[in-house]
Amino acid sequence: MSNKILGIIVGLILIFSSILVIRVLTNDSEDTDFSQNQDYSPDDLLSEIDESLLDENGEVEIGEMI
Amino acid sequence: MKKMLNILIVLILSSSMLPLAFADESGNTSNDIEIDAETQQQTEIMNCSVGAEIRLLQLEKAITKNIIKGNETVSVLKDLDYNATELEAILAELEFLLWNVQEADPNATDAVQVFVDLKSDAKELTEEFKDTLKAMLDDKTLEGLRERIRLMTCEQVQNLTKKIENRIRTYNRNQLHRLYGFLGDLNNSFLEGYETGNITKEQVKSQIGKIVNNMTKEKRNQIFSELKMYRIRTRIKSTVCVENATHNFTVRKQLRIQNRLQYSKNAQSPEDSQVRSEMQHRMENRLNDMGSSGSGSGNNGNSGSGSGNGKQNGGGGKQ
């Protein structure tokens, strides 16, 4: 009986720690999607440059009155 | 056996703490709000005063456009013998808000917070106007009105458009100056040409494209990394500012309404007394709602618009 309970407890500990480890690893991979060692094409760089510039006709939307 | 039971209880308690590991770290309370992704993205350029000025001017333009359209709508409704007092009261509030935006200081440390607050007010009042009008008119009349005001513009809006375009060119010029620094090919006359409007953004991009295409792989990777790092740093700064703006949002909102109410009671406003009393009634109702929900009661030290310019709490200035 006590072996069974012990087994359940160990099982639970394993499940919880796996969830936590997976969670931490997923967070890390989300934050580091850009790596220094990767090669970038001219298009990649131009698109990055484009993103740093503002659209001259850009607007702040607050909705329509009608 | 008793020991096992104790361990089991401890485990159950620990597992109940598990959701905390997944919880949002922002620790939102009833006084805070979630800021939408679009607004968050708009604040990314507000780390510099030109960027902050651009966003405040764009907000001013959006509110001005809506006031013009709202006034035209009210005028049409009055011609049709509708009672438009409630709509006029909303427009009077939008006028107060416009003054607040015009007075906001883009150099203030809390410029992001002011932008977030005033944009939220503008969206709310616009939505209220729309809902009130929808309850008054049928779909066909609404469609006719929508068509009538769709392309409405005025000199005030055109001037704002020009001013915004100029400021955006200055902002882009600063960005390009930094970029040309990375490229090692700084051409000041080209940049000045862009800022003054003699060279278009497309021409600048085409010139940069030529430089990029002739670049070595290593140089390209290096510049890409520099730009990416700059953008990440900017985003982090902006996220911190937006995070600060979410705290005590309701308390600040309550204070803004109180100040506008006070101002409308003291000032000699141009609108007629019926509209003014309707506007005050609306503000008082909102304050009561906020008070009864308990959201505004917990003033924990950060009331008002913060320490920067403090102007947005003023009734907004035209005496």
Side-chain angles (χ1 to χ4, degrees), chain B residues 120-168:
Chain B
S120 159
D121 288 355
K123 282 174 90 168
E124 199 177 295
L125 288 170
T126 301
E127 194 67 34
E128 274 182 49
F129 188 95
K130 195 176 178 178
D131 290 345
T132 310
L133 192 64
K134 213 172 175 180
M136 288 170 77
L137 302 174
D138 58 71
D139 286 350
K140 198 181 167 191
T141 320
L142 276 174
E143 190 51 48
L145 255 176
R146 199 173 288 132
E147 197 52 40
R148 181 174 171 148
I149 66 161
R150 195 169 60 90
L151 296 174
M152 264 188 75
T153 188
C154 73
E155 202 183 332
Q156 204 183 347
V157 173
Q158 283 166 350
N159 287 341
L160 277 169
T161 305
K162 277 183 198 156
K163 205 170 170 184
I164 292 165
E165 271 174 20
N166 283 337
R167 299 316 286 152
I168 289 181

Side-chain angles (χ1 to χ4, degrees), chain A residues 3-66:
Chain A
N3 273 352
K4 253 188 186 175
I5 294 172
L6 206 66
I8 292 170
I9 291 169
V10 171
L12 277 172
I13 291 171
L14 278 174
I15 291 168
F16 291 149
S17 46
S18 312
I19 292 172
L20 280 173
V21 166
I22 290 167
R23 172 78 181 169
V24 169
L25 287 179
T26 338
N27 264 356
D28 277 356
S29 62
E30 275 169 11
D31 294 342
T32 54
D33 63 339
F34 123 84
S35 139
Q36 296 264 359
N37 300 324
Q38 203 179 327
D39 279 341
Y40 299 100
S41 68
D43 283 346
D44 289 334
L45 181 53
L46 286 172
S47 125
E48 189 62 30
I49 290 169
D50 203 29
E51 285 205 39
S52 67
L53 301 176
L54 287 181
D55 176 9
E56 286 163 21
N57 303 313
E59 302 216 343
V60 163
E61 300 286 341
I62 56 168
E64 288 294 331
M65 296 291 265
I66 300 180

